Amino acid sequence: MIQSDNCIFCKIVSGAIPAIKVYEDEQTLAFMDINPASDGHSLIISKDHYENLLEIEEGALTAVMLTTQRLARAIKKALKPDGMRVSQFNGAAAGQTVFHYHAHIVPYHQGDKLGSHGRGPGDPEVIKQIAAQIRDALGS
Ligand code: AMP
Ligand code: ZN
């Protein structure tokens, strides 16, 4: 496992800090964003630490994309959004705040005007309930 000291997402991978996880396999992990832009806002990361799209190795990138598709299908089934935005930021100037490669899935309902990031912390109990719905959809 490629890890970086003081990386918050590496700490989630190692279990040193908690996250509301929805999916995990050998190479990837998906969990709920703690500052959701909308209900169901989730993050998909490579377990190995790569800073961004310019650094990530091909196999890890492919694995993240496949998990993103799997999770997007589960979110569609569970939450029935009208659409979903998948985004990914490279460099602080482009809005990246956590320097460990990840993709965002942000569900949209018709008329939503959402930023790429949430404005503040979501209610953990609500996020946990939404995560349970997504996990159910992944399992069925
Ligand atoms: P960015 O690097 O701009 O793509 O965004 C990083 C995202 O990670 C933001 O949307 C944060 O709300 C989210 N985030 C930061 N720390 C955590 C954490 N411990 N658990 C879940 N999400 C987090
Ligand atoms: Zn990391």
Side-chain angles (χ1 to χ4, degrees), residues 68-113:
T68 303
Q69 185 187 48
R70 185 187 282 235
L71 190 59
R73 286 174 171 161
I75 289 172
K76 177 77 183 163
K77 194 168 166 186
L79 308 179
K80 301 182 176 51
D82 297 317
M84 276 171 279
R85 195 171 279 182
V86 174
S87 55
Q88 190 270 317
F89 307 98
N90 301 283
Q96 188 175 10
T97 59
V98 177
F99 296 90
H100 177 131
Y101 184 83
H102 58 279
H104 297 249
I105 298 179
V106 177
Y108 275 69
H109 292 276
Q110 211 65 51
D112 278 350
K113 303 249 183 299

